[in-house]
């Protein structure tokens, strides 16, 4: 039985050797169809941090969106066709800032639910993924999908009850910033909103998680 870390290292190595990528990330997917537990390839740390802090909610290749499209390999073009022009423009700005010209997502399913995935990113010196490379990725996905389906690999465990609270996109963006210990003003700068708006969202979070301050909220979310 392979650990998620071992499986991630194997997939990153196998896929990037068959189809070169400038950057790559392997991740697990929880029962809310949210990616977590990332393993990075190609030193995309700065880009990844920026993605988690400011652009994740704009990503058209999030697991939930990919599941709607179907299949194990999803192109950026197909994913963007389901998004609004505003979301696409915002995400394209993020990719351009890092010279990324194309992204392909590879997902593996357990019991019809995406359980693990991988992002492959191409910078301008590689160019976009070709149809032949896309076919190669699909062939690799089919082989690894069979291995995942028949192995003892366990999907991500269900989140604790307190993490199943329905959150708005803005509230989801605030949580990692809270965990970093940023002030209201700092969070406002990161998200491009007013400090008073941050306070309003925090008040909503306190009520949803039945806490009275940020210390209790962080403890409830990350230390329970």
């Amino acid at each position: 039985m392979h650990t998620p870390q071992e499986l991630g290292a194997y997939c990153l190595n196998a896929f990037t050797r068959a189809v070169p990528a400038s950057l790559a990330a392997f991740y697990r997917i929880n029962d809310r169809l949210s990616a977590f537990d990332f393993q990075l390839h190609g030193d995309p740390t700065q880009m990844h941090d920026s993605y988690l802090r400011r652009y994740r909610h704009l990503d058209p290749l999030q697991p939930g969106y990919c599941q709607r499209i179907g299949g194990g390999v999803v192109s950026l073009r197909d994913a963007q066709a389901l998004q609004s022009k505003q979301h696409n423009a915002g995400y394209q700005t993020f990719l351009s800032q890092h010279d990324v010209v194309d992204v392909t997502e590879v997902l593996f399913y357990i019991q019809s639910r995406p359980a693990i995935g991988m992002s492959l990113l191409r910078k301008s010196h590689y160019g976009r993924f070709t149809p032949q490379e896309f076919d190669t990725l699909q062939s690799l996905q089919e082989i690894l999908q069979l291995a995942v389906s028949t192995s003892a690999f366990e999907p991500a465990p269900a989140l604790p009850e307190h993490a199943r609270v329905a959150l708005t996109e803005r509230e989801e963006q605030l949580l990692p910033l809270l965990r970093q210990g940023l002030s209201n003003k700092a969070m406002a700068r990161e998200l491009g909103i007013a400090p008073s708006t941050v306070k309003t969202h925090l008040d909503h979070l306190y009520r949803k998680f039945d806490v009275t301050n940020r210390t209790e909220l962080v403890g409830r979310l990350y230390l329970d």
Side-chain angles (χ1 to χ4, degrees), residues 113-146:
R113 177 176 76 80
I116 51 179
M118 184 166 45
S119 300
L120 300 172
L121 296 83
R122 279 273 183 87
K123 292 193 174 186
S124 57
H125 68 276
Y126 273 129
R128 298 182 180 277
F129 293 98
T130 67
Q132 293 78 13
E133 288 173 328
F134 200 80
D135 289 343
T136 298
L137 292 175
Q138 288 183 315
S139 297
L140 283 173
Q141 189 277 338
E142 291 171 3
I143 295 171
L144 266 294
Q145 176 62 63
L146 180 62

Side-chain angles (χ1 to χ4, degrees), residues 39-222:
Q39 293 175 246
L40 306 179
H41 171 84
D43 195 28
T45 304
Q46 183 178 1
M47 180 180 181
H48 185 66
D49 289 345
S50 177
Y51 169 81
L52 293 179
R53 286 188 291 108
R54 301 186 61 183
Y55 294 97
R56 183 173 186 164
H57 68 292
L58 299 176
D59 184 359
L61 287 165
Q62 295 179 68
Y65 297 144
C66 288
Q67 185 180 38
R68 295 179 199 174
I69 296 171
V73 183
V74 180
S75 70
L76 179 63
R77 180 178 301 176
D78 287 345
Q80 286 180 326
L82 299 181
Q83 295 289 76
S84 68
K85 291 183 178 180
Q86 182 179 1
H87 273 66
N88 284 336
Y91 194 66
Q92 200 63 52
T93 296
F94 164 65
L95 295 180
S96 298
Q97 289 172 351
H98 298 276
D99 189 35
V100 173
V101 297
D102 203 6
V103 186
T104 296
E105 213 73 10
V106 182
L107 291 102
F108 304 94
Y109 293 75
I110 296 179
Q111 298 176 353
S112 301
R113 177 176 76 80
I116 51 179
M118 184 166 45
S119 300
L120 300 172
L121 296 83
R122 279 273 183 87
K123 292 193 174 186
S124 57
H125 68 276
Y126 273 129
R128 298 182 180 277
F129 293 98
T130 67
Q132 293 78 13
E133 288 173 328
F134 200 80
D135 289 343
T136 298
L137 292 175
Q138 288 183 315
S139 297
L140 283 173
Q141 189 277 338
E142 291 171 3
I143 295 171
L144 266 294
Q145 176 62 63
L146 180 62
V148 168
S149 300
T150 57
S151 74
F153 177 81
E154 293 291 337
L159 294 175
E161 191 65 30
H162 66 257
R164 299 187 184 188
V165 175
L167 301 178
T168 66
E169 285 187 354
R170 189 65 80 189
E171 289 166 353
E172 292 274 13
Q173 293 168 356
L174 279 172
L175 293 184
L177 302 181
L178 275 170
R179 191 177 189 183
Q180 295 173 36
L182 298 186
S183 67
N184 285 14
K185 288 185 178 180
M187 289 191 288
R189 285 195 299 270
E190 288 287 341
L191 299 177
I193 58 179
S196 59
T197 304
V198 170
K199 184 179 184 304
T200 298
H201 288 304
L202 288 177
D203 289 339
H204 292 163
L205 286 168
Y206 297 160
R207 287 196 294 271
K208 287 182 177 183
F209 289 100
D210 193 24
V211 298
T212 59
N213 57 56
R214 64 169 58 209
T215 301
E216 291 180 4
L217 178 60
V218 172
R220 176 71 63 84
L221 289 170
Y222 301 111

Side-chain angles (χ1 to χ4, degrees), residues 11-24 41 118-120 126 137 140:
C11 287
L12 287 169
N13 180 61
F15 277 79
T16 56
R17 286 181 62 186
V19 177
S22 305
L23 307 169
H41 171 84
M118 184 166 45
S119 300
L120 300 172
Y126 273 129
L137 292 175
L140 283 173

